[in-house]
Amino acid sequence: MKLLEDRILTDGVVLGQDVLKVDNFLNHQIDPVLMQEIGNEFARIFKDRGINKIITIESSGIAPAVFAGLKMEVPVIFARKHKSLTLTDNLYSASVYSFTKNVTNEIAVSKNFLDASDNVLLIDDFLANGQAAIGLIDICKQAGAKVSGMGIVIEKSFQKGRQIVEESGIDIASLARIEAFVDGKVTFVKEEEA
């Protein structure tokens, strides 16, 4: 998605060898116009899959997931990372390790919102090592829900996340695939490689 790639080149900040900071349009401040375009693109890609729910993880996956849900006219569920007084039991849960934050979170989805009748699209902001994706897939398996695809805003293709998701048999669409960070600059996977 050229619009997203251009925004990454303009506003993204490379930190070290494997971190991309996009907090001015995705991870802290949100650009709703860009998120709407991203949501529309996910809806276009997955339009014929019979999706009836979208699932993401709080918090940075929520904006693109909501815009996709709006376009697809389906509810959006976000897996919670933090304990809540109102979300304590009757849960599907999985442990997810974040390399960026160096912390393991227990993510949870209420059993009231996900079951074997659901056909799910998973959406997340980043795909790197695949831990968040595996956690969401695990929650869907616990519910007996079918995962019909995964939409990723930004994929770090030089890490193992895509391979892990593909080994799970899930079709994945990433809107921006980063090949490498070279001298503080982003290079993208070329179309023919994607």
Side-chain angles (χ1 to χ4, degrees), residues 56-89:
T56 190
I57 295 181
E58 70 176 346
S59 62
S60 298
I62 294 174
V66 166
F67 278 104
L70 179 66
K71 184 69 173 179
M72 297 174 86
E73 299 180 353
V74 300
V76 176
I77 301 165
F78 64 91
R80 296 231 176 168
K81 290 182 187 173
H82 306 288
K83 297 289 183 199
S84 165
L85 293 175
T86 62
L87 192 67
T88 57
D89 55 5

Side-chain angles (χ1 to χ4, degrees), residues 16 20 44 49 60 66 74 76 88 100 112 136 145 158 164 174:
L20 175 65
R44 184 192 67 74
R49 306 284 175 97
S60 298
V66 166
V74 300
V76 176
T88 57
T100 308
N112 295 332
L136 289 175
F158 56 89
I164 289 170
S174 298

Side-chain angles (χ1 to χ4, degrees), residues 28 36 40 68-69 88 139-140 145:
H28 193 59
Q36 184 172 33
N40 289 347
T88 57
I139 283 174
C140 290

